Amino acid sequence: QSGSSPPANSAPMTPARSARQPVAMTSLKPTAPLHTVLTTVAQNLKFHPSNAIVVIAMDNRSMTVRCIWRIDLWTSGGANEANGDWRDVWLAALQHACEQTLTSPARAIVLRYPDTDHPDVSTPETSVNAHLWRIAQDTVDAYVDHLETHIVSDKDLAVVREKLGPMVAGDREELERELAARNDAYRAEQIEIPVITPANTDAVIHQIRQILLAEGPIRPHDLALVSAGLSHIAMRDTVIHDLLASNPLCWSIASERLAEITRLTWPQARVATATVLAILRWQSGDDVRAGIAINVALQHDCQYALAALIWQVLRCGLNRHMWRRDLLAIDRHTFRYGSRP
C-alpha cells in the first residue's frame, strides 16, 4: 500500500506499485513451510506477485497475520525509467509501509518474488533489484523483533499454482481477461467520452457524487463520466470539497468506488481518479493505501500538481484534520468557479 542508484526512473513519481491487503484472521507458525506461506499470500492478495517484494506483518506473540503488502521492483523498459529520483521514492514508499504496519511486538516474513513476466532480465536490472532486496531486508528488520526471509523460485510458485488452481481469482491472466471484457463492453455499447460544457457542469458534478456513493457494479457510462469529469480541475476540486463536507462513511464508500474506477479507466484519466482516491484514503486514516493511490497517479503524470502536493503532504505527515478544516473553510464557489463571488 516503504549503494549504486538504479537507472533513472518523480519526486514525486514512484516507480514501484505497492499495495496493502488486510487479511482474514489467520496465523503462520514459525516452522510453516514456504509453500504454506506462498499459499497464504496468494489467497489474500488474490494473485501471485511477480518481480516484487512481499511483506507479511505478524504479531510476534500470537503469530496472527496482521496484513500483507507488496512493493514492486524495477523492470527495465517500464515507465519508471523516466524518473531520476526512482530510488529515493522507492525507499520512501518502503519505509512508509513499514511505519504503518510493523508495530511492536512484530515479526515479519519478507519474500522476493521472481519476474515471471520477464524471465530473461538484463544484468543491470538483476543488480538493481538485488540491491533493493538487501535494502528491503535491512529496513524491515529495523522495525521487527524477528525477521524471516525467502527468495521465491519459479518452482515454488508452480507448486502453489498447481495447488490453488482457480482459487486465485485475481490472477494476472484473469484480471487481463476481465479488463478485456470491460473494453468489449465499451465497444459494444459505443460509449463515448462525455462532452462537458459550462451549461452541464453542475449536473455532471451531481451525477459524479451519485455514482461515487451508489452501490452495485460500475457501468461503462458511469466510468466514463467520472473519469472525464474529474479530469476537469474545477469539477475535481468541487467534488473533493463536497465529499469531504460529508461524513467518513461517504469517504469510505467513494474510496472503494474510485479504486474500482481507477483500475478500469483509461490511463490518461487515471491520474485524476487516483489523486482523489488518495485524498479520501488519507482522510479516512489509511495512509498506506493513500500512498499507493498517489503513486499510481504520479506514475501516469509526474507533473500533476495536486498529486505532487498530496505526495508531499503524506511525506511530511501533515495533520489530516487541519488540512480538511482549512479546505472546507474556503467557499465552495471558489472551487467551482476559481474565484469568490
Side-chain angles (χ1 to χ4, degrees):
Q1 196 9 195
S2 72
S4 60
S5 298
N9 181 6
S10 30
M13 174 178 167
T14 261
R17 293 173 298 168
S18 56
R20 183 184 68 171
Q21 177 65 41
V23 299
M25 187 64 71
T26 186
S27 60
L28 285 171
K29 296 180 180 179
T31 56
L34 178 58
H35 295 161
T36 300
V37 176
L38 299 181
T39 299
T40 300
V41 171
Q43 288 176 328
N44 284 279
L45 294 186
K46 306 303 181 187
F47 67 96
H48 297 285
S50 173
N51 195 37
I53 290 173
V54 171
V55 177
I56 304 175
M58 307 168 60
D59 185 275
N60 199 27
R61 297 193 183 100
S62 66
M63 306 304 296
T64 301
V65 177
R66 293 172 174 169
C67 72
I68 298 173
W69 52 270
R70 171 193 109 251
I71 183 166
D72 287 353
L73 294 167
W74 176 66
T75 301
S76 60
N80 47 24
E81 292 183 357
N83 178 17
D85 295 313
W86 194 94
R87 176 178 174 274
D88 291 341
V89 178
W90 191 93
L91 291 174
L94 173 68
Q95 186 165 358
H96 185 70
C98 290
E99 291 171 351
Q100 292 291 316
T101 63
L102 300 177
T103 55
S104 184
R107 69 166 48 218
I109 301 175
V110 184
L111 308 165
R112 179 183 174 184
Y113 278 76
D115 190 348
T116 55
D117 296 329
H118 308 88
D120 299 323
V121 295
S122 62
T123 301
E125 180 178 348
T126 304
S127 175
V128 168
N129 286 338
H131 176 65
L132 296 178
W133 166 241
R134 290 192 296 271
I135 291 177
Q137 293 177 83
D138 292 342
T139 303
V140 174
D141 190 34
Y143 285 88
V144 298
D145 301 307
H146 184 272
L147 177 67
E148 180 182 339
T149 64
H150 297 280
I151 296 180
V152 182
S153 69
D154 292 327
K155 183 177 180 180
D156 295 325
L157 282 179
V159 172
V160 176
R161 286 181 184 275
E162 182 178 358
K163 176 182 178 181
L164 292 180
M167 288 178 58
V168 187
D171 198 285
R172 186 184 302 272
E173 294 178 359
E174 181 163 336
L175 289 176
E176 290 175 353
R177 287 194 296 270
E178 179 184 343
L179 186 55
R182 296 292 183 115
N183 291 337
D184 290 342
Y186 264 87
R187 288 190 290 271
E189 298 186 28
Q190 296 182 337
I191 298 298
E192 297 182 356
I193 306 303
V195 177
I196 300 174
T197 66
N200 70 359
T201 295
D202 288 318
V204 172
I205 291 174
H206 178 70
Q207 289 178 335
I208 290 175
R209 289 203 307 269
Q210 286 186 318
I211 293 169
L212 294 181
L213 297 177
E215 296 181 354
I218 303 290
R219 299 177 302 168
H221 178 76
D222 296 340
L223 176 62
L225 185 67
V226 173
S227 300
L230 294 183
S231 296
H232 289 245
I233 293 177
M235 296 181 66
R236 177 204 69 194
D237 293 350
T238 306
V239 169
I240 292 172
H241 179 278
D242 291 349
L243 288 172
L244 293 184
S246 58
N247 58 67
L249 177 60
C250 292
W251 307 343
S252 177
I253 295 171
S255 294
E256 296 307 316
R257 302 281 282 181
L258 273 171
E260 178 74 359
I261 290 170
T262 300
R263 186 174 72 84
L264 294 173
T265 194
W266 55 93
Q268 296 89 334
R270 200 165 289 151
V271 58
T273 61
T275 300
V276 179
L277 171 61
I279 292 173
L280 294 177
R281 294 286 199 207
W282 174 48
Q283 288 298 310
S284 299
D286 193 344
D287 288 4
V288 171
R289 287 201 289 178
I292 294 165
I294 212 64
N295 291 342
V296 171
L298 291 167
Q299 281 180 342
H300 288 85
D301 184 357
C302 63
Q303 302 300 320
Y304 195 70
L306 182 59
L309 172 64
I310 298 302
W311 188 86
Q312 293 289 353
V313 163
L314 290 170
R315 192 176 188 184
C316 71
L318 186 68
N319 185 289
R320 62 175 59 87
H321 306 293
M322 293 177 59
W323 188 87
R324 184 173 69 254
R325 180 199 63 193
D326 293 344
L327 181 142
L328 294 178
I330 302 173
D331 191 274
R332 184 179 187 274
H333 190 281
T334 302
F335 296 101
R336 173 65 183 82
Y337 297 100
S339 61
R340 293 187 179 277

